[in-house]
Amino acid sequence: MISPTPITRTVLITGCSSGFGEATARLFAACGWNVVATMRSPEVGTELAALDRVLVTRLDVQDPASIEAAVAAAIARFGRIDVLVNNAGFGLFGVFESTPRDKVLEQFEVNVFGMMDVTRAVLPHFRANRSGVIVNVSSGAGVFALPMISLYCASKFALEGFSESLSYELAGLGISVKIVEPGGVTSTNFGQRSGQEASIGRTLPDYEPFVTAANAVFAGLRTSRASATSEEVAKVIHTAATDGTDRLRYVATEDIKPLVAARRESSEDEYLAFMRERVTPKL
Ligand code: NAP
């Protein structure tokens, strides 16, 4: 008897120019998947484009026409999409009051509304197939809040609530939603972009002692924990996409597990006492 030819599955990933997106594209390709590696500037994706079964195409989550074009190109090339990984994102760093309003809007346009627009573009295809997995890349900052990243936290808390709600709406249609929560990974371009964005904010002298002390807290958090790699996060994204379970959340790195446990397993008072001790700068 001839066994049926296994069908090669297809993943579409946003933000593949660097970091988790690039590592996830490489991992799925190495596992034999068709990969639609999308990015704002496809000219930086020549190494990915040279891999077998990888289509590099433009997708800027702030440009709806580019989202429609990328989804159409994926289906034209590979016939279907099985998994969507909403990975594109960035983090604003700095005190809220110093952050210009247009930057607040951009944080939500990329991390929240862009993620929703890509999801909306893929859903008719998933519904027609009665199958599909959506993996949304959140953060520890989507579970617990830290000072100096209020807008990033707000965007990832929004992503978490949206994803959880969507998971109930789509379960009956054979579509599952997954949330992957990485902690700090320094080998991506995330810190570099956050640093560039931070310089845009106004200097407000009243905050200066707080900002200096908060920066010392963050420096301590960075140096006291071994950083995970993009490849480790990519493995968790791959597991979330392929484990066939209805599990919703996946904590992707060890560093944030104590904080996630404090949030999820303690009372509100215990949690706040734990966090204030660790993240409130001593002035
Ligand atoms: P990264 O190396 O900076 O990658 C971010 C990716 O998002 C880049 O490909 C970037 O493209 C893309 N992107 C930004 N704005 C976009 C837009 N408007 N349209 C399409 N793509 C856009 O950082 P990363 O660490 O891999 O971050 C990936 C995801 O993980 C993000 O959602 C981030 O919030 C999350 N995360 C990161 C960490 C961490 O410590 N690294 C921790 C927790 C969660 P360009 O090259 O064109 O800018």
Side-chain angles (χ1 to χ4, degrees), residues 15-21 40-41 59-62 87-90 110-111 137-140 152 156 182-186 188-190 193:
C16 289
S17 65
S18 61
F20 303 161
R40 291 197 288 187
S41 308
L59 191 162
D60 180 336
V61 300
Q62 293 176 276
N87 163 74
F90 75 101
V110 175
N111 291 12
V137 178
S138 177
S139 168
Y152 182 59
K156 293 298 189 182
V185 177
T186 51
T188 73
N189 288 346
F190 185 83
R193 175 148 186 204

Side-chain angles (χ1 to χ4, degrees), residues 10-16 20-25 27-28 33-39 59 61 81-89 114-115 118-119 122 126 132-138 159 176 178-180 182 233-234 236-242:
T10 302
V11 60
L12 186 149
I13 310 165
T14 63
C16 289
F20 303 161
E22 183 185 1
T24 304
L27 178 61
F28 275 85
W33 287 58
N34 300 319
V35 177
V36 186
T38 73
M39 56 192 77
L59 191 162
V61 300
I81 302 168
D82 299 279
V83 172
L84 165 65
V85 180
N86 281 310
N87 163 74
M115 173 272 299
V118 179
T119 302
V122 173
F126 280 2
V133 182
I134 301 166
V135 182
N136 288 338
V137 178
S138 177
L159 177 146
S176 42
K178 308 280 185 161
I179 302 170
V180 170
V233 174
V236 178
I237 292 172
H238 184 269
T239 299
T242 57

